[in-house]
Amino acid sequence: MGECIFCKIANKEILSKPVYEDERCYAFYDLDPQAPTHFLVIPKRHIASALDLGEDDAALVGHCYAVIAKVARELGLDSYRVVTNCGEQAGQTVFHLHFHVLAGRDMTWPPG
Ligand code: 5GP
Ligand code: ZN
């Protein structure tokens, strides 16, 4: 998708600090971290938001969660929060599906 910032990050047209990469997904540190550890996992294929997911995407979403667990183990995280904001009211600002992974501080519940 031409103007999508996360497509550009996945294609390395915009610089980011990588955490993990394979043929289906890319993980990189958030520019504006909200916890001592804060990285994003994105599918390389453009999917605008979680609202656009269908049954055909089940394996891809499962893969993203497996990548999160693998990276968390490698970073020595034994507790973390995964967040996907879906839609503007929920706080989504970049319309390319992404999983925030936050760790390293106490989290509150319910989230704000
Ligand atoms: P959202 O608000 O859509 O849930 O999350 C978007 C996230 O992307 C935010 O946490 C924001 O800091 C991060 N972000 C936006 N632009 C960039 C960028 O160019 N590079 C990186 N590394 N993160 C970005
Ligand atoms: Zn995109």
Side-chain angles (χ1 to χ4, degrees), residues 34-88:
Q34 301 301 312
T37 299
H38 184 182
F39 62 89
L40 305 170
V41 179
I42 63 172
K44 288 187 170 175
R45 176 160 62 86
H46 182 85
I47 299 170
S49 88
L51 257 183
D52 298 295
L53 289 169
E55 289 294 339
D56 288 351
D57 303 308
L60 179 60
V61 174
H63 178 65
C64 288
Y65 268 87
V67 164
I68 290 168
K70 173 183 162 61
V71 171
R73 284 192 296 270
E74 286 173 1
L75 295 179
L77 308 176
D78 55 10
S79 183
Y80 58 87
R81 180 172 288 180
V82 182
V83 174
T84 297
N85 297 321
C86 179
E88 279 178 23

Side-chain angles (χ1 to χ4, degrees), residues 1 4-8 44-47 95-96:
M1 296 288 283
C4 173
I5 189 170
F6 282 2
C7 281
K8 288 182 176 172
K44 288 187 170 175
R45 176 160 62 86
H46 182 85
I47 299 170
F95 282 77
H96 179 127

Side-chain angles (χ1 to χ4, degrees), residues 2-17:
E3 289 312 306
C4 173
I5 189 170
F6 282 2
C7 281
K8 288 182 176 172
I9 283 176
N11 292 333
K12 313 293 161 40
E13 293 167 49
I14 293 177
L15 194 66
S16 63
K17 189 177 172 195

